[in-house]
Structures are given as structure tokens and as C-alpha cells.
Amino acid sequence: MQKQLEEICAKALNEVENAQNSADIDAIKLEYLSRKSVLNNIKKGLKDLTPEQRPIVGAFANEVAQKIEQAVNEKEQAIYEKELNEKLESERIDITLPGRNIPMGKIHPLTQTVDEIVSIFQGMGFTITDNENSPEVETEYYNFDALNFPKDHPAKDMQDTFYTKVAPNVILRGQTSGAQIHTMETKKPPLRIISPGRVYRCESVSARKNNLFHQIEGLVVDKNITFADLKGVLNEFTRIYFGEARPTRFRTSFFPFTEPSAEIDVQCIMCKGKGCKVCSQTGWLEILGAGMVDPNVLKGVGIDPDVYTGFAFGMGVERLAMLKHAICDIRMFFNNDIRFLEQF
Ligand code: DAH
């Protein structure tokens, strides 16, 4: 019996030694240390031994059981640590790896430009006019007549204006200037408003022209408003928008709703006035139209031109965005090419 126990002990220790993982250990425990184990079977047989042999073999059997148990415990601990290390290693996170790129939408460059221009004027105390005072579907009255356009003005021609079938005088507006009239009809001076929005013109599309584009209209009406106020406001606008004070030029022009009228140029931001392709060798870039509100326009909306004066201006958003970002084709704003849009 002693010999049998020694064999069991040797076999068990050998198996423990060769155990690779916790499953092997569980199998060994079941075979040698459980109630149904070989060792337990031997212990059950002790009762058949003589009284002299019984304590000796019994003590030896306990010794063998302890030895196996100790070996199993040590191996179990080693395997546990090994398996834990393997698991930690396999789940290791490399915190130096660059993050995964999550594609995010961006604000369209035209919207960004509108927001930027609007916030410059808000900084000077202008407020955005109410939406209902800036409709895209307009009547000829607001787009032309109330703005002092003569009845036979060429802009009213079918070539320029999109007419609708709703009624003969209902059109898509060709300029945001109608917002001036809507605003002055519903609000009394002092007024200091801007009105951004879409305008439509029936023209052939090219790198410089699209039949949908955006304008920002401005209007100031109060007592003692002069051309100096107009110059001050627009010079300050160009300084902030183009990032530095640069020379501007107020050129005599004509608009039916302003007198005097001007077109405002800024020194070419590409060549700084030397002359290049962008400014057609002139050294200047036209950025907006403006002028003092014509007394006829004020009269038409019931504002006394002997008491109040005002100035107005209108700028093309696409043009300003193209100049600032050196974009050479207006159609890029409308093609929705992600490679273009991503850059803003
Ligand atoms: N509405 C003009 C255009 O589309 C631009 C403009 C010129 C607006 C002079 C104004 C202004 O308010 O005073 O060409």
C-alpha cells in the first residue's frame, strides 16, 4: 500500500509539473484531491489494515495528500499569474497611437462669411432685420419701384429678373435692397440694420456669376447722418474683415435709391496695389455699393427727408469670400465638392 501511495504521489507531482493551464490544474484536483480521488479510495481501505499498520499508512497517506496539495497550490498560483499577464498583455492599449478620425460636418464657407460679416456689424451696433422684412419672393414694388427705379429700368427686363407665374408683379428678388423699404415701412428711425439673404438673377452662369447668390444689405437712418458716417463704418468694416487697415477708394457711381452713390474699392489684397491678375492690373478690388439714401425713397415710406438722412450699402457675400480666400470660381460654393468644403 505504501508503494502504491508513493507511485500515486510521483505521478501526481509529475502531472502538476506538466500542467499548462487552469483546466489542467482542475483535472488534477479532481483526480487526486477530491472525495472521489484515488487517495480517498486508499484512505477508505485503511480499515482493512492491522491496527499496527493503520496509523503508519494513514500518516503516510496524509503526508502524500499534503505534498500533492502544496504542489497544486504553488502551480495554481504560478498559472494564475501567467494567465493574468497574458491577458493584460493581449488587452494592452497603446496610448501613443493616433486617435481614429471621426468625420464631422462643417459650416459652409458662405455661411461662415455671412456670420463673420454680420458679427462685425453687430459690433458696431447694427441689428439683423426681421425675416419678414427680407422676403426672397418679392413684388416688383419692393425690388424696384419703392427703390426709385424708373419704370423702364433695364434691370426690370426679363433678362435679369426671374418672374413668377403667381402674379405678373411677383418676382424672385434680384437684390436685398427691398429689405430697406420693408424695414422703414414697419419701423421708425433711428434705424441701424443689416439684412443678409439670397438673391436671384437670370444670367448665364460663369466663374464670376451664378444666378443664385448672397448679399448683405445695410441701412442707417437717423438725424444728422452724413457721408462721413458711411465712410467711417465701411472703412472700419474693411479693416476688420480683411484683418488690417488697408486703403479704400470711394468711386462715384449710380444707384437709383442713393444720392450720391459710390462703389467702394479696397486695395488689392494679393498684390497690395501693384497690379496683378486678381485686380486686373488696377491695384483695386471692388467690394460693395453704397450711398446716401435718396430723399425720394425716404418720402415714399413716410420719413421726412428734411429731418432724417441715412446711408445704405450692399455687398456680395460670394465676392467677399472669394477675395479673402483666393477662390477663383463662384461655382465652387454650390457644387458641394467635399474636397473644397473641407478646407474651411
Ligand atoms: N443693390 C445693389 C446691387 O445689387 C447694391 C447696393 C448699392 C446696395 C448701393 C445698397 C446701396 O444699399 O446703397 O448691385
Side-chain angles (χ1 to χ4, degrees), residues 111-125:
T111 310
Q112 285 186 35
T113 307
V114 170
D115 290 348
E116 189 185 348
I117 295 171
V118 163
S119 89
I120 292 172
F121 284 106
Q122 281 174 331
M124 293 194 262

Side-chain angles (χ1 to χ4, degrees), residues 4 27 41-42 45 64 76 93 136 158 167 176 183 214 274 283 327:
Q4 206 185 343
N41 281 342
I42 287 176
V64 166
E76 192 170 34
I93 295 170
E136 287 175 32
M158 298 290 282
T176 45
T183 303
H214 299 73
K274 289 193 200 78
I327 297 162

Side-chain angles (χ1 to χ4, degrees), residues 2 4-10 12-13 32-33 39 57-70:
Q2 190 136 346
Q4 206 185 343
L5 281 169
E6 274 167 9
E7 275 169 21
I8 290 170
C9 182
L13 293 180
Y32 298 100
L33 300 173
L39 269 183
V57 177
F60 187 63
N62 282 340
E63 206 179 291
V64 166
Q66 267 173 19
K67 238 191 210 169
I68 296 173
E69 202 172 324
Q70 196 191 339

Side-chain angles (χ1 to χ4, degrees), residues 174-177 180 201 215 217-218 255 257-258 262 288-291 311-315:
Q175 53 181 1
T176 45
S177 302
Q180 293 185 33
R201 285 190 197 170
Q215 286 187 334
E217 193 75 18
F255 298 103
F257 42 96
T258 46
L288 52 90
F311 67 79
F313 56 87
M315 56 185 91

Side-chain angles (χ1 to χ4, degrees), residues 313-333:
F313 56 87
M315 56 185 91
V317 177
E318 282 78 358
R319 177 156 175 85
L320 284 165
M322 286 166 82
L323 289 177
K324 187 157 168 175
H325 302 290
I327 297 162
C328 56
D329 193 322
I330 193 171
R331 290 168 290 196
M332 285 183 174
F333 291 118

